[in-house]
């Protein structure tokens, strides 16, 4: 019997909650389950409280499984329920009410989800070609509503059934890998006076294979995938997309603890349902979204280069990537407003993504580690070199980790540069520096583990904004806060 119970509380947005779970095994059977609740009031910033940002969420799950040397299966049910508020700029709300088309009250999104999942398979096959076979079935029934005060304005129903088969090959000399299939059926409906999309059914199917060859000094891996998607909207023309993706990669050892990894990918992506058919206000991101039913498929070609080093006292990694995306789909603001929301158009154009990620962990002492990290991305439309919208700025981290017996303390400094590479009608976002402090203390007994956690975030109560946020102008990030957690695990 194994399980855990966790409690938490914070003083900035008055977050509180409790979660728990268990696993019980006897012979070859396993019973598992768990659940939890989280409640958070409106969060606070150095400028004041962000009204209608409160949220609460509940979840529960239960399942049963059986495992033998050859056969296994597990079946589980998961339930989620909750509600979160959508912050609205007070001045804008008043102006819209004066004009006669404002909201009748604060906008909130109550949601509910039922999920059933079955995973079954056969392993250790006495077969010259196959070693393991696995089948996964997943059904999800999602519902959320947009409420204006006490009135339900719109409802969204999304039912999906996903199936996946995986066949793992028996190693044959240097060659090994797996292949399989994946499929999905989706029934999507948006109902209400301002429904953002028409009812749509979507069917998708894909077949894939991933193979690898091990040599003395390096490993070669290659794979491919063929995928078909079809959308059938109500009272609109159906669209279908078929394409192939492939990749090849190399993993080579250079020195003791050192590895060089490179991958080349050529990928296909069908436009999403919302990108094709959206035409209405989306309260979730406070944008009036307009899709384009004539969008073409995306085609991307890219290369990744990575250099890694790992020893007992030093772990470092440097990653560089460059992607060229043909007919790239993105949500672009056009400077206009509709129904009180800024208008965003799903547009398409050739683009280029280039970036770097680096991480380093160095042991200065057996009980003291230094952690460094940096990431940056430069993304733009290749025609006219126009920056793409909502691209994060250069970011970095500097932290240390102190260990003393059962206590771990990790202060860190998170910094971000200003973002002044802007798409049409975007606004600049200032840089910032935020100080955080985490601590964890553990007590271990024969059958239990007690974990006491402390998290001080934004210790200097810095006013800062997230460039990726649609509402950054009136809803900056959370101010100073303290989070306490207690976790009990028994086994």
């Amino acid at each position: 019997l194994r399980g855990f119970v966790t409690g938490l509380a914070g003083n900035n947005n008055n977050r509180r909650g409790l979660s728990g779970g268990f696993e019980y095994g006897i012979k070859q059977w396993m019973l598992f389950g768990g659940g939890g609740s989280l409640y958070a009031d409106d969060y606070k910033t150095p400028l004041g409280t962000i009204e209608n940002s409160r949220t609460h969420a509940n979840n529960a799950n239960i399942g049963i499984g059986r495992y033998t040397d050859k056969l296994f299966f597990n079946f589980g049910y998961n339930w989620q329920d909750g509600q979160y508020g959508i912050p609205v700029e007070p001045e804008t709300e008043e102006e819209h009410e004066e004009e006669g088309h404002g909201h009748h009250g604060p906008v909130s999104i109550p949601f509910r989800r039922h999920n059933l999942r079955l995973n079954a398979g056969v392993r250790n096959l006495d077969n010259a070609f196959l070693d393991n076979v696995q089948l996964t079935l997943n059904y999800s029934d999602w519902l959320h509503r947009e409420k204006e005060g006490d009135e339900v304005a719109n409802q969204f129903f999304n039912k999906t059934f996903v199936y996946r088969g995986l066949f793992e090959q028996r190693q044959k000399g240097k060659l090994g890998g797996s292949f399989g299939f994946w499929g999905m059926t989706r029934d999507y409906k948006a109902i209400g006076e301002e429904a953002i999309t028409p009812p749509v059914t979507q069917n998708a199917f894909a077949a894939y294979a991933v193979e690898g060859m091990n040599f003395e000094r390096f490993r070669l891996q290659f794979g491919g995938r063929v995928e078909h998607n079809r959308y059938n909207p109500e009272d609109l023309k159906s669209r279908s997309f078929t394409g192939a993706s492939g990749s090849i990669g190399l993993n080579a050892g250079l020195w003791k603890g050192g590895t060089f990894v490179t991958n080349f990918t050529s990928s296909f992506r069908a436009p999403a349902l919302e990108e094709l058919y959206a035409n209405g206000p989306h309260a979730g991101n406070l944008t009036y979204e307009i899709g384009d039913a004539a969008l073409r498929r995306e085609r991307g070609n890219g290369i990744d280069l990575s250099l890694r080093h790992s020893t007992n006292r030093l772990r470092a990694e440097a990653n560089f990537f460059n992607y060229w995306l043909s007919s790239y789909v993105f949500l672009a603001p056009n400077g206009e407003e509709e129904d009180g929301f800024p208008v965003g158009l799903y547009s398409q154009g050739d683009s280029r993504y280039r970036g770097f990620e680096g991480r380093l962990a160095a042991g200065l002492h057996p009980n003291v580690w230094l952690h460094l990290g940096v990431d940056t991305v430069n993304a733009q439309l290749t025609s006219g070199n126009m920056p793409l919208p909502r691209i994060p700025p250069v970011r970095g981290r500097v932290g240390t980790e102190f260990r003393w017996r059962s206590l771990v303390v990790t202060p860190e400094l998170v910094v971000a540069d200003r973002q002044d590479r802007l798409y049409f009608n975007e606004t600049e976002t200032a840089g910032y520096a935020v100080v955080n402090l985490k601590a964890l203390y553990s007590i271990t007994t024969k059958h239990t583990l007690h974990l006491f956690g402390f998290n001080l975030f934004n210790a200097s109560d810095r006013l800062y904004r997230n460039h990726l946020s649609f509402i950054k102008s009136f809803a900056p990030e959370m101010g100073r806060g303290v989070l306490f957690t207690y976790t009990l695990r028994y086994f």
Side-chain angles (χ1 to χ4, degrees):
L1 178 66
R2 295 182 296 175
F4 69 91
V5 177
T6 299
L8 56 87
N11 75 338
N12 190 300
N13 60 343
N14 291 321
R15 181 187 300 173
R16 54 209 180 272
L18 182 70
S19 65
F22 71 91
E23 292 181 357
Y24 179 73
I26 180 171
K27 294 185 177 179
Q28 295 173 332
W29 289 89
M30 177 69 71
L31 179 67
F32 56 89
S37 294
L38 174 67
Y39 294 84
D41 293 337
D42 295 339
Y43 77 86
K44 299 177 182 179
T45 77
L47 294 181
T49 301
I50 303 300
E51 300 294 337
N52 202 44
S53 61
R54 66 182 63 90
T55 182
H56 74 262
N58 309 299
N59 71 86
N61 67 87
I62 190 168
I64 189 171
R66 178 173 169 82
Y67 304 86
T68 70
D69 292 338
K70 290 287 186 180
L71 303 174
F72 69 90
F73 86 90
N74 58 74
F75 176 78
Y77 167 74
N78 177 266
W79 165 81
Q80 294 177 337
D81 174 87
Q83 179 170 305
Y84 60 91
I86 304 297
V88 178
E89 189 173 9
E91 295 79 8
T92 303
E93 179 74 8
E94 294 172 3
E95 292 172 2
H96 295 161
E97 290 178 353
E98 292 174 1
E99 294 170 5
H101 55 76
H103 298 298
H104 299 293
V107 178
S108 61
I109 310 292
F111 62 89
R112 182 268 302 154
R113 179 176 182 260
H114 298 291
N115 179 254
L116 296 170
R117 182 180 178 89
L118 171 66
N119 189 40
V122 184
R123 55 192 175 188
N124 303 319
L125 291 171
D126 296 325
N127 186 287
F129 181 63
L130 291 178
D131 195 22
N132 303 307
V133 176
Q134 183 174 329
L135 176 66
T136 301
L137 305 177
N138 191 88
Y139 175 76
S140 178
D141 181 358
W142 170 271
L143 163 66
H144 81 257
R145 298 181 172 92
E146 291 181 359
K147 294 180 64 177
E148 299 178 358
D150 295 326
E151 297 182 11
V152 177
N154 299 295
Q155 300 183 79
F156 296 82
F157 302 85
N158 189 27
K159 299 178 181 179
T160 59
F161 174 64
V162 177
Y163 54 95
R164 180 175 183 262
L166 175 65
F167 303 86
E168 297 183 17
Q169 301 162 214
R170 187 174 296 277
Q171 188 78 21
K172 287 289 186 180
K174 294 181 172 61
L175 180 66
S178 62
F179 61 94
F181 60 87
W182 170 92
M184 179 184 70
T185 61
R186 179 184 182 190
D187 183 7
Y188 170 86
K189 292 181 182 178
I191 300 174
E193 294 181 358
E194 298 180 330
I196 188 173
T197 56
V200 181
T201 58
Q202 178 186 357
N203 292 282
F205 182 81
Y208 62 90
V210 178
E211 303 293 329
M213 298 184 69
N214 292 314
F215 298 92
E216 184 178 351
R217 296 295 302 274
F218 65 91
R219 173 177 172 81
L220 186 67
Q221 190 174 56
F222 48 91
R225 176 185 174 98
V226 178
E227 181 177 337
H228 174 78
N229 278 272
R230 183 175 182 83
Y231 300 99
N232 298 298
E234 187 176 282
D235 300 326
L236 292 174
K237 183 180 179 180
S238 298
R239 295 292 309 278
S240 63
F241 304 86
T242 302
S245 302
S247 66
I248 184 169
L250 174 71
N251 184 313
L254 300 181
W255 59 81
K256 185 178 180 180
T259 307
F260 171 73
V261 179
T262 182
N263 293 283
F264 173 79
T265 59
S266 180
S267 61
F268 154 87
R269 188 184 81 89
L273 181 156
E274 296 79 5
E275 296 167 347
L276 290 167
Y277 304 116
N279 188 12
H282 186 177
N285 59 19
L286 299 181
T287 304
Y288 193 99
E289 297 183 7
I290 299 178
D292 184 354
L295 290 175
R296 303 180 302 279
R297 62 93 182 100
E298 286 183 8
R299 167 59 65 184
N301 293 297
I303 187 168
D304 298 88
L305 302 171
S306 179
L307 189 62
R308 305 167 186 173
H309 179 80
S310 180
T311 59
N312 292 335
R313 299 291 294 273
L314 181 64
R315 299 188 294 270
E317 185 173 340
N319 305 295
F320 171 81
F321 61 89
N322 202 101
Y323 293 98
W324 299 267
L325 303 174
S326 173
S327 301
Y328 175 68
V329 179
F330 59 98
L331 184 62
N334 68 354
E336 300 178 2
E337 281 199 2
E338 185 74 27
D339 286 354
F341 293 112
V343 174
L345 305 176
Y346 281 106
S347 303
Q348 203 160 34
D350 295 342
S351 65
R352 186 265 300 147
Y353 273 75
R354 180 182 299 152
F356 172 81
E357 298 174 347
R359 293 188 293 271
L360 182 143
L364 307 179
H365 180 273
N367 296 327
V368 181
W369 281 76
L370 172 67
H371 296 274
L372 302 175
V374 63
D375 63 85
T376 179
V377 60
N378 181 294
Q380 62 185 37
L381 296 169
T382 54
S383 177
N385 297 325
M386 169 68 76
L388 283 165
R390 300 173 62 228
I391 300 300
V394 179
R395 297 173 296 189
R397 290 176 181 269
V398 179
T400 53
E401 179 181 297
F402 301 95
R403 292 180 174 270
W404 183 74
R405 296 183 179 177
S406 298
L407 176 66
V408 181
V409 180
T410 55
E412 70 169 359
L413 173 67
V414 180
V415 297
D417 195 8
R418 75 179 188 278
Q419 181 55 285
D420 54 7
R421 287 181 50 81
L422 307 173
Y423 185 75
F424 169 74
N425 214 45
E426 265 196 309
T427 58
E428 183 175 319
T429 304
Y432 60 85
V434 176
V435 177
N436 303 316
L437 175 65
K438 296 180 181 180
L440 182 68
Y441 184 75
S442 61
I443 300 176
T444 304
T445 66
K446 184 177 181 180
H447 295 291
T448 62
L449 173 62
H450 303 265
L451 298 172
F452 301 87
F454 170 84
N455 183 7
L456 171 62
F457 51 91
N458 195 2
S460 61
D461 204 26
R462 176 67 185 269
L463 174 65
Y464 71 104
R465 305 176 192 272
N466 182 357
H467 185 72
L468 276 62
S469 170
F470 285 101
I471 58 175
K472 66 175 185 177
S473 61
F474 63 90
E477 299 303 292
M478 192 179 296
R480 181 189 298 115
V482 179
L483 181 69
F484 301 94
T485 64
Y486 167 70
T487 302
L488 167 64
R489 296 184 183 273
Y490 53 91
F491 41 86

